[in-house]
């Protein structure tokens, strides 16, 4: 009976909250916790994504973007146990070792879209610094000859841009400028204006191949250059037709030199610079050209030398253009090949020096009497004993 009473008292205490600490236990509320749901990967055949399973596949995919100038790509990397971001960074480093990437791309950026067990989705964005046409237009060359052929075609056609992938000894400033200059000064009738040039080299610092770009500014469009070339050839041809009959080849050379000297005047110069050693001339891009001498009648010594070379070419003779100095100042003239001998010919100084010191002159007279200097290694020796008066001058 006593046990039963104790049990009833205990029940009563619970109902009235009289037991210490029991209220805390009764008032506690429970939060409804739902089961954790694991996100599953989207289907792997999503058309927007490029599915990548190996590092080699990733590199090929990024290289394809560079070649096709694709600015953005979505990748799903199935690299179990591998950091997808590190994989892309490694692939980008490999891309930057390629000359085309150095030429075409300014920046790679990547943005993680999602990650789950062993799978990374990201977007790769490429910022390009060249147009699709410029990327597609890169020409691969492996020899000096093939590179020079492209540069010569560029000058003849008045083309303004060329990019070549070539060995380092070709894709460099010295080779490119020297090749362009050599061709220009040997083709007085073909290339009517010497262009302003700009070269850029794109290299990764590894390997011996790089991309070089050549930009030329002729000052005239291709159609105008073609018209100027035609005008130059007609003017030179008409002067050749004026040759009197019965002259010997040396006498024809002398007659043409005199006609050229008498028809061409020095270009006007700016009053501000008239007293300078190198005054500013006002005849534009044609001052130093055969076109200036034979078509407009205004030319510098360089233009007269180019015009003389053009006339000798039509006459069937070889006259090389020479760049050197006269009394310490930059100057230009020709070396003429005739009957197996070589002679200096400076038509621009014909009236000032007189024909015997301007036409059919040997090396020693040019150097020690006339005050000329030049790189003799680049040109044949003019050491014939024949002089101007021996040719009926």
């Amino acid at each position: 009976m006593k046990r039963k009473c104790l049990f009833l008292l205990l029940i009563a205490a619970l109902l009235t909250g009289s037991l210490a600490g029991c209220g805390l236990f009764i008032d506690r509320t429970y939060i409804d916790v739902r089961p954790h749901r694991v996100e599953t990967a989207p289907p792997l055949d999503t058309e927007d994504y490029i599915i990548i399973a190996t590092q080699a596949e990733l590199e090929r995919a990024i290289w394809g973007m560079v070649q096709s100038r694709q600015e953005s790509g979505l990748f799903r990397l199935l690299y179990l146990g591998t950091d997808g971001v590190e994989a892309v960074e490694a692939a980008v480093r490999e891309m930057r070792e390629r000359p085309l990437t150095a030429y075409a791309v300014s920046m790679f950026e990547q943005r993680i879209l999602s990650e789950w067990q062993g799978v990374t989705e990201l977007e790769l964005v490429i910022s390009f610094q060249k147009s699709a046409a410029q990327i597609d237009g890169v020409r691969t060359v492996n020899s000096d000859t093939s590179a020079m052929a492209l540069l010569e075609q560029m000058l003849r056609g008045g083309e303004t841009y060329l990019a070549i992938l070539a060995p380092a000894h070709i894709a460099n400033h010295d080779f490119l400028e020297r090749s362009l200059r050599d061709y220009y000064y040997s083709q007085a009738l073909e290339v009517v204006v010497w262009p302003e040039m700009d070269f850029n080299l794109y290299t990764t610092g590894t390997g011996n191949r790089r991309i070089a770009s050549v930009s030329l500014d002729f000052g005239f469009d291709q159609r105008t250059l073609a018209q100027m070339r035609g005008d130059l050839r007609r003017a030179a041809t008409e002067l050749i037709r004026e040759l009197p009959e019965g002259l010997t080849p040396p006498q024809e050379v002398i007659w043409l030199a005199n006609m050229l000297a008498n028809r061409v005047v020095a270009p006007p110069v700016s009053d501000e610079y008239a007293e300078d050693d190198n005054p500013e001339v006002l005849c534009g891009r044609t001052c130093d050209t055969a076109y200036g001498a034979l078509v407009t009648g205004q030319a510098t010594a360089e233009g007269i030398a180019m015009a003389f070379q053009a006339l000798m070419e039509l006459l069937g003779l070889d006259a090389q253009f020479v760049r050197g100095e006269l009394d310490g100042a930059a100057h230009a003239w020709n070396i003429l090949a005739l009957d197996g001998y070589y002679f200096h010919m400076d038509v621009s100084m014909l009236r000032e020096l007189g024909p015997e010191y301007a036409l059919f002159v040997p090396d020693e007279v040019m150097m020690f009497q006339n005050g000329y200097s030049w790189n003799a290694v680049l040109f044949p020796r003019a050491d014939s004993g024949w002089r101007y008066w021996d040719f009926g001058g």
Side-chain angles (χ1 to χ4, degrees), residues 30-94:
Y30 291 90
I31 299 174
D32 180 20
V33 180
R34 297 179 182 179
H36 177 67
R37 298 178 61 185
V38 178
E39 294 291 335
T40 59
L44 295 182
D45 58 353
T46 307
E47 293 182 359
D48 293 338
Y49 287 87
I50 301 173
I51 310 303
I52 301 296
T54 67
Q55 187 71 10
E57 288 182 3
L58 178 60
E59 292 176 1
R60 285 196 296 269
I62 298 177
W63 180 236
M65 290 179 64
V66 172
Q67 290 179 305
S68 62
R69 204 181 182 280
Q70 181 181 339
E71 297 182 351
S72 176
L74 297 175
F75 294 93
R76 179 174 288 126
L77 308 182
L78 310 183
Y79 279 33
L80 293 176
T82 303
D83 190 326
V85 175
E86 291 183 358
V88 174
E89 290 176 348
V92 167
R93 285 195 297 271
E94 200 283 330

Side-chain angles (χ1 to χ4, degrees), residues 132-341:
Q134 288 174 324
I135 295 174
D136 293 339
V138 174
R139 306 289 296 273
T140 300
V141 297
N142 297 306
S143 67
D144 295 13
T145 302
S146 57
M148 291 170 63
L150 290 175
L151 294 170
E152 292 168 4
Q153 176 184 330
M154 191 180 188
L155 279 178
R156 286 196 309 272
E159 300 171 11
T160 58
Y161 190 82
L162 172 68
I164 59 173
L165 173 61
H169 80 277
I170 294 175
N172 68 76
H173 292 178
D174 290 342
F175 176 89
L176 296 171
E177 182 172 358
R178 184 175 65 253
S179 298
L180 288 167
R181 285 191 179 277
D182 288 349
Y183 186 73
Y184 172 77
Y185 287 118
S186 67
Q187 300 292 324
L189 287 171
E190 289 295 322
V191 187
V192 294
V193 175
W194 173 246
E196 295 179 359
M197 301 179 296
D198 183 50
F199 306 110
N200 286 293
L201 303 180
Y202 302 88
T203 178
T204 62
T206 60
N208 66 342
R209 295 181 68 81
R210 62 180 67 157
I211 289 179
S213 69
V214 182
S215 298
L216 301 182
D217 179 6
F218 293 89
F220 305 94
D221 58 32
Q222 288 179 298
R223 182 175 181 179
T224 302
L225 289 171
Q227 293 173 344
M228 293 171 67
R229 187 184 303 111
D231 293 341
L232 170 60
R233 187 170 287 273
R234 280 189 294 273
T237 302
E238 289 173 2
L239 187 54
I240 293 293
R241 288 173 179 168
E242 294 179 22
L243 277 167
E245 296 183 359
L247 298 181
T248 63
Q251 291 172 335
E252 291 179 335
V253 171
I254 294 171
W255 188 89
L256 288 170
N258 278 288
M259 292 296 291
L260 190 58
N262 291 329
R263 290 188 180 189
V264 181
V265 298
V269 300
S270 169
D271 293 337
E272 181 180 356
Y273 301 101
E275 302 301 324
D276 291 354
D277 292 335
N278 297 297
E280 180 185 11
V281 295
L282 302 178
C283 57
R285 294 288 187 93
T286 62
C287 288
D288 298 330
T289 67
Y291 180 91
L294 293 171
V295 178
T296 70
Q298 293 183 346
T300 62
E302 180 170 321
I304 293 173
M306 293 291 285
F308 182 77
Q309 178 181 306
L311 292 171
M312 294 302 100
E313 180 180 336
L314 291 178
L315 203 61
L317 299 176
D318 176 38
Q320 298 182 57
F321 178 91
V322 182
R323 179 187 293 277
E325 293 184 349
L326 172 58
D327 295 330
H331 194 63
W333 65 97
N334 303 95
I335 291 181
L336 175 70
L338 184 66
D339 294 334
Y341 298 101

